[in-house]
Amino acid sequence: MSIVNTKEILRDAYKDGYAIGAFNINQMETIEGIVNGVYTYNTPVILQASKITKQYTNISNIVEITRICAEEKGLPIALHLDHGDSLELCKEFIKAGFTSVMIDGSSHSFEENIALTKSVCDYAHDFGVTVEGELGKISGIEDDVKVEGNNAFYTDPVQAKEFVENTGVDSLAVAIGTSHGAYKFKENQEPSLRFDILEKIEELIPGFPIVLHGASSVMPVYSQMINKYGGFIEGAKGIPEQMLKKASSDTAVCKINVDTDIRLAISGTIRKYLSENPSDFDPRLYLAAARVAVQEVVEYKITRILGYKNSGMKHN
């Protein structure tokens, strides 16, 4: 199977009441770990790269590795630009072979966001590429996206309807209380997602796929592993799993972005491996261990959070 856009896989997720995992990637081992994880349960997946990825590797390499994985495993894999900030950047990723792009105009005024998002939709749709927009501001830090908590605000459902109708966007990332990064909430702050906002959005734009960014649960096993083996991640706190599971199964949410848990798993596993094997210096050894950890995170998310109901036969 070749790389697909997100139109049909998000439609199916909405219809059948589950969410597709969207995982950020930067190199081969992460891609392979994610694909191995979704292959275990025969699920679709969205692989994401950001503007910062260009500083790490050639994005054409990402496209080619993803293409090979999609053909080898026979899975529907979408390749998505995460948090694109300009029409020019979206064009660059589309020309490289990405099948879906996000244009994040949430830092602009409502009117400017509509105009920017529409310009990307007008361009991308001519190439069969789907577009994700964003309305509202999600707090936290992810790559070069930084929003202080006091500058975050919830998505207005009425504006969401107007935004979708006037841009032609294919999916919409909303702000309902999630947050980017490993430190999503202050020490004494209780996580809370505004399901009432989701319900109102679904009422106003029925059948339209909604996206949650900043929706990592920040799995304690990996932050604890990092701390045990020489790192320092104190007070990491994510979205409770039961809230994410509810969002996946009972609302219009069709795509959940998981980034932090993957990074924690890679970092923790490499630290652990090198600590336990101090004489090893072959990157293939500790990166192979990290790849397995990524696969385990993905399988955990599929079975415990994303609510995928049609996995078919589990591959061994």
Side-chain angles (χ1 to χ4, degrees):
M1 182 175 290
S2 60
I3 306 173
V4 302
N5 65 29
T6 61
K7 193 174 187 66
E8 291 188 6
I9 61 176
L10 291 182
R11 180 201 63 198
D12 291 344
Y14 193 107
K15 180 182 67 175
D16 293 334
Y18 62 88
I20 296 170
F23 304 92
N24 283 66
I25 56 174
N26 293 291
Q27 77 286 92
M28 181 184 71
E29 289 79 12
T30 305
I31 295 173
E32 290 179 339
I34 294 167
V35 171
N36 289 342
V38 297
Y39 181 71
T40 301
Y41 290 95
N42 197 28
T43 69
V45 70
I46 299 169
L47 302 182
Q48 304 188 146
S50 68
K51 180 180 179 180
I52 298 297
T53 305
K54 292 200 313 170
Q55 300 174 13
Y56 179 80
T57 189
N58 187 319
I59 57 174
S60 295
N61 294 340
I62 296 289
V63 174
E64 188 62 16
I65 294 170
T66 302
R67 181 190 64 78
I68 292 170
C69 287
E71 292 178 355
E72 181 183 80
K73 301 295 187 182
L75 291 171
I77 301 175
L79 191 53
H80 178 75
L81 167 63
D82 192 27
H83 288 289
D85 59 6
S86 69
L87 174 59
E88 291 70 28
L89 183 68
C90 291
K91 285 182 178 180
E92 181 179 352
F93 275 72
I94 290 169
K95 290 175 181 177
F98 277 60
T99 55
S100 179
V101 295
M102 177 193 186
I103 179 65
D104 182 357
S106 62
S107 62
H108 301 288
S109 70
F110 180 61
E111 292 75 19
E112 291 169 335
N113 192 357
I114 286 178
L116 175 60
T117 303
K118 185 178 186 305
S119 71
V120 173
C121 290
D122 290 344
Y123 179 85
H125 288 166
D126 285 342
F127 295 89
V129 172
T130 43
V131 181
E132 175 187 320
E134 181 167 325
L135 192 61
K137 281 191 178 181
I138 301 168
S139 66
I141 300 174
E142 180 182 5
D143 289 341
D144 60 344
V145 177
K146 300 177 178 65
V147 178
E148 296 293 336
N150 57 348
N151 289 323
F153 58 82
Y154 295 123
T155 301
D156 181 330
V158 175
Q159 284 192 335
K161 181 176 187 295
E162 182 180 349
F163 185 86
V164 167
E165 291 175 344
N166 285 280
T167 59
V169 76
D170 300 289
S171 60
L172 182 65
V174 299
I176 62 164
T178 56
S179 177
H180 291 299
Y183 303 93
K184 300 182 185 299
F185 304 99
K186 296 178 181 179
E187 184 176 353
N188 297 320
Q189 183 182 6
E190 289 300 319
S192 178
L193 299 187
R194 291 288 305 274
F195 287 101
D196 58 318
I197 292 176
L198 281 178
E199 290 173 4
K200 187 63 176 178
I201 290 172
E202 186 172 6
E203 177 186 322
L204 293 176
I205 44 175
F208 193 81
I210 300 300
V211 176
L212 289 187
H213 285 244
S216 292
S217 56
V218 186
M219 298 167 69
V221 61
Y222 294 113
S223 58
Q224 292 167 5
M225 187 183 295
I226 290 172
N227 291 336
K228 180 178 179 179
Y229 293 99
F232 185 77
I233 296 184
E234 296 293 338
K237 193 174 184 180
I239 309 297
E241 291 182 358
Q242 66 270 24
M243 291 185 182
L244 295 175
K245 187 173 182 179
K246 175 178 172 60
S248 300
S249 303
D250 299 339
T251 75
V253 172
C254 300
K255 172 177 178 270
I256 288 184
N257 286 21
V258 181
D259 180 25
T260 303
D261 289 321
I262 294 290
R263 294 181 179 183
L264 290 173
I266 292 171
S267 298
T269 301
I270 290 176
R271 284 181 178 275
K272 180 177 186 291
Y273 183 92
L274 292 176
S275 177
E276 295 177 345
N277 302 275
S279 62
D280 285 352
F281 57 88
D282 188 340
R284 291 172 296 184
L285 298 175
Y286 57 78
L287 289 175
R291 180 173 56 199
V292 171
V294 169
Q295 177 176 344
E296 290 173 350
V297 169
V298 172
E299 292 180 5
Y300 183 89
K301 299 294 181 181
I302 291 171
T303 57
R304 296 289 294 273
I305 292 174
L306 296 175
Y308 193 72
K309 300 181 179 67
N310 188 32
S311 60
M313 182 182 298
K314 179 179 176 180
H315 296 113
N316 294 318

